[in-house]
mmCIF file of all heavy atoms in Angstrom:
data_model
loop_
_atom_site.group_PDB
_atom_site.id
_atom_site.type_symbol
_atom_site.label_atom_id
_atom_site.label_comp_id
_atom_site.label_asym_id
_atom_site.label_seq_id
_atom_site.Cartn_x
_atom_site.Cartn_y
_atom_site.Cartn_z
ATOM 1 N N VAL A 532 2.014 -14.148 -1.676
ATOM 2 C CA VAL A 532 2.925 -15.276 -1.404
ATOM 3 C C VAL A 532 3.120 -15.423 0.107
ATOM 4 O O VAL A 532 3.098 -16.536 0.644
ATOM 5 C CB VAL A 532 4.275 -15.081 -2.137
ATOM 6 C CG1 VAL A 532 5.269 -16.148 -1.712
ATOM 7 C CG2 VAL A 532 4.069 -15.125 -3.645
ATOM 8 N N GLN A 533 3.292 -14.308 0.795
ATOM 9 C CA GLN A 533 3.478 -14.420 2.248
ATOM 10 C C GLN A 533 2.235 -15.026 2.910
ATOM 11 O O GLN A 533 2.349 -15.832 3.828
ATOM 12 C CB GLN A 533 3.792 -13.048 2.859
ATOM 13 C CG GLN A 533 5.209 -12.606 2.491
ATOM 14 C CD GLN A 533 5.697 -11.392 3.255
ATOM 15 O OE1 GLN A 533 4.903 -10.535 3.635
ATOM 16 N NE2 GLN A 533 7.001 -11.303 3.451
ATOM 17 N N GLY A 534 1.055 -14.649 2.429
ATOM 18 C CA GLY A 534 -0.173 -15.230 2.979
ATOM 19 C C GLY A 534 -0.185 -16.741 2.801
ATOM 20 O O GLY A 534 -0.567 -17.489 3.700
ATOM 21 N N VAL A 535 0.275 -17.187 1.617
ATOM 22 C CA VAL A 535 0.317 -18.640 1.362
ATOM 23 C C VAL A 535 1.335 -19.300 2.295
ATOM 24 O O VAL A 535 1.080 -20.349 2.887
ATOM 25 C CB VAL A 535 0.667 -18.925 -0.123
ATOM 26 C CG1 VAL A 535 0.828 -20.418 -0.359
ATOM 27 C CG2 VAL A 535 -0.407 -18.338 -1.041
ATOM 28 N N LEU A 536 2.497 -18.674 2.444
ATOM 29 C CA LEU A 536 3.535 -19.263 3.303
ATOM 30 C C LEU A 536 3.036 -19.368 4.742
ATOM 31 O O LEU A 536 3.216 -20.392 5.407
ATOM 32 C CB LEU A 536 4.809 -18.413 3.258
ATOM 33 C CG LEU A 536 5.529 -18.351 1.897
ATOM 34 C CD1 LEU A 536 6.603 -17.268 1.917
ATOM 35 C CD2 LEU A 536 6.161 -19.697 1.559
ATOM 36 N N TRP A 537 2.418 -18.302 5.221
ATOM 37 C CA TRP A 537 1.945 -18.302 6.611
ATOM 38 C C TRP A 537 0.654 -19.117 6.785
ATOM 39 O O TRP A 537 0.284 -19.447 7.900
ATOM 40 C CB TRP A 537 1.730 -16.862 7.091
ATOM 41 C CG TRP A 537 3.015 -16.145 7.435
ATOM 42 C CD1 TRP A 537 4.085 -16.673 8.096
ATOM 43 C CD2 TRP A 537 3.362 -14.778 7.143
ATOM 44 N NE1 TRP A 537 5.067 -15.710 8.240
ATOM 45 C CE2 TRP A 537 4.660 -14.549 7.665
ATOM 46 C CE3 TRP A 537 2.692 -13.721 6.488
ATOM 47 C CZ2 TRP A 537 5.301 -13.308 7.564
ATOM 48 C CZ3 TRP A 537 3.338 -12.497 6.391
ATOM 49 C CH2 TRP A 537 4.635 -12.302 6.921
ATOM 50 N N GLY A 538 -0.039 -19.359 5.660
ATOM 51 C CA GLY A 538 -1.267 -20.155 5.727
ATOM 52 C C GLY A 538 -2.479 -19.363 6.185
ATOM 53 O O GLY A 538 -3.446 -19.928 6.710
ATOM 54 N N VAL A 539 -2.443 -18.016 5.963
ATOM 55 C CA VAL A 539 -3.594 -17.201 6.383
ATOM 56 C C VAL A 539 -4.388 -16.746 5.158
ATOM 57 O O VAL A 539 -3.879 -16.777 4.033
ATOM 58 C CB VAL A 539 -3.129 -15.963 7.193
ATOM 59 C CG1 VAL A 539 -2.373 -16.393 8.446
ATOM 60 C CG2 VAL A 539 -2.269 -15.014 6.354
ATOM 61 N N ASN A 540 -5.620 -16.318 5.379
ATOM 62 C CA ASN A 540 -6.426 -15.760 4.296
ATOM 63 C C ASN A 540 -6.066 -14.285 4.152
ATOM 64 O O ASN A 540 -6.385 -13.471 5.012
ATOM 65 C CB ASN A 540 -7.917 -15.917 4.621
ATOM 66 C CG ASN A 540 -8.810 -15.355 3.510
ATOM 67 O OD1 ASN A 540 -8.320 -14.763 2.544
ATOM 68 N ND2 ASN A 540 -10.116 -15.530 3.653
ATOM 69 N N SER A 541 -5.427 -13.916 3.041
ATOM 70 C CA SER A 541 -4.976 -12.528 2.852
ATOM 71 C C SER A 541 -6.099 -11.615 2.353
ATOM 72 O O SER A 541 -5.859 -10.430 2.118
ATOM 73 C CB SER A 541 -3.843 -12.491 1.823
ATOM 74 O OG SER A 541 -2.794 -13.329 2.208
ATOM 75 N N PHE A 542 -7.274 -12.150 2.154
ATOM 76 C CA PHE A 542 -8.267 -11.357 1.427
ATOM 77 C C PHE A 542 -9.526 -11.003 2.227
ATOM 78 O O PHE A 542 -10.463 -10.443 1.681
ATOM 79 C CB PHE A 542 -8.610 -12.051 0.099
ATOM 80 C CG PHE A 542 -7.380 -12.190 -0.755
ATOM 81 C CD1 PHE A 542 -6.706 -13.388 -0.868
ATOM 82 C CD2 PHE A 542 -6.850 -11.081 -1.397
ATOM 83 C CE1 PHE A 542 -5.537 -13.500 -1.603
ATOM 84 C CE2 PHE A 542 -5.687 -11.174 -2.140
ATOM 85 C CZ PHE A 542 -5.024 -12.394 -2.246
ATOM 86 N N ASP A 543 -9.550 -11.347 3.495
ATOM 87 C CA ASP A 543 -10.669 -10.844 4.318
ATOM 88 C C ASP A 543 -10.118 -9.824 5.302
ATOM 89 O O ASP A 543 -8.916 -9.538 5.311
ATOM 90 C CB ASP A 543 -11.405 -12.006 5.015
ATOM 91 C CG ASP A 543 -10.501 -12.815 5.933
ATOM 92 O OD1 ASP A 543 -9.366 -12.373 6.215
ATOM 93 O OD2 ASP A 543 -10.926 -13.902 6.380
ATOM 94 N N GLN A 544 -10.943 -9.225 6.107
ATOM 95 C CA GLN A 544 -10.499 -8.208 7.071
ATOM 96 C C GLN A 544 -11.484 -8.109 8.225
ATOM 97 O O GLN A 544 -11.982 -7.046 8.533
ATOM 98 C CB GLN A 544 -10.278 -6.833 6.404
ATOM 99 C CG GLN A 544 -11.457 -6.217 5.651
ATOM 100 C CD GLN A 544 -11.701 -6.827 4.307
ATOM 101 O OE1 GLN A 544 -10.761 -7.105 3.578
ATOM 102 N NE2 GLN A 544 -12.951 -7.059 3.967
#
Side-chain angles (χ1 to χ4, degrees):
V532 173
Q533 288 191 330
V535 175
L536 295 169
W537 283 319
V539 300
N540 180 355
S541 304
F542 300 102
D543 60 12
Q544 57 283 319

